[in-house]
Amino acid sequence: MFEEIVGVWVLVIETVGALIMIVGAGFALVAAVPSMRRPESRGKAYERLRRNVGRAILLGLEVLIVADIIRTILVDQTPQSVAVLGGIVAIRIALSFSLEVEIDGMWPWSKWRVASVRSQDTSQG
């Protein structure tokens, strides 16, 4: 009985994760269409669309990781399921990492340098 209830909740969480990606990408596309129709703002609209779709995918992946962890911890506690979870989490972390680099255009450990340069520019300006 417990496993069935947890299984249903895991399915709900997985559905929410998929919906986040689908709805988020849809909203990003709808928001970008007006800017894409104007030639002068087309380049920035495309970059904004990519960034927003990437954010939706990242959030959806995080929710899917939660569902996988819950399933493995509460339902299927075998060495094989733990190994599969480890592989899934590693793949999703790699995807998240590459999406974050794609969205920000820099390595995560470079953000503090850019923030430092920007704060120096605004204090001198």
Side-chain angles (χ1 to χ4, degrees):
M1 178 75 171
F2 176 74
E3 290 181 6
E4 291 175 16
I5 293 171
V6 172
V8 168
W9 276 107
V10 166
L11 183 62
V12 168
I13 294 170
E14 288 174 336
T15 303
V16 168
L19 284 174
I20 287 171
M21 289 188 268
I22 293 167
V23 172
F27 278 137
L29 183 62
V30 168
V33 167
S35 297
M36 287 181 158
R37 295 181 69 191
R38 294 189 306 271
E40 67 274 2
S41 64
R42 206 169 274 151
K44 288 185 180 185
Y46 175 71
E47 291 299 320
R48 197 172 323 118
L49 173 64
R50 284 184 54 208
R51 191 175 313 115
N52 290 335
V53 169
R55 287 178 180 156
I57 293 171
L58 280 172
L59 183 57
L61 284 173
E62 296 295 329
V63 173
L64 291 172
I65 288 172
V66 169
D68 288 335
I69 291 170
I70 291 170
R71 178 186 298 115
T72 301
I73 290 173
L74 296 177
V75 177
D76 195 17
Q77 298 177 345
T78 64
Q80 182 180 1
S81 68
V82 172
V84 169
L85 173 65
I88 290 170
V89 169
I91 290 168
R92 288 188 178 160
I93 287 172
L95 282 171
S96 297
F97 182 76
S98 64
L99 280 170
E100 190 171 336
V101 169
E102 184 71 23
I103 290 169
D104 295 336
M106 68 183 83
W107 298 107
W109 52 83
S110 299
K111 289 181 185 179
W112 67 272
R113 290 185 196 140
V114 172
S116 174
V117 169
R118 286 182 183 160
S119 67
Q120 288 176 357
D121 290 345
T122 57
S123 65
Q124 294 175 0

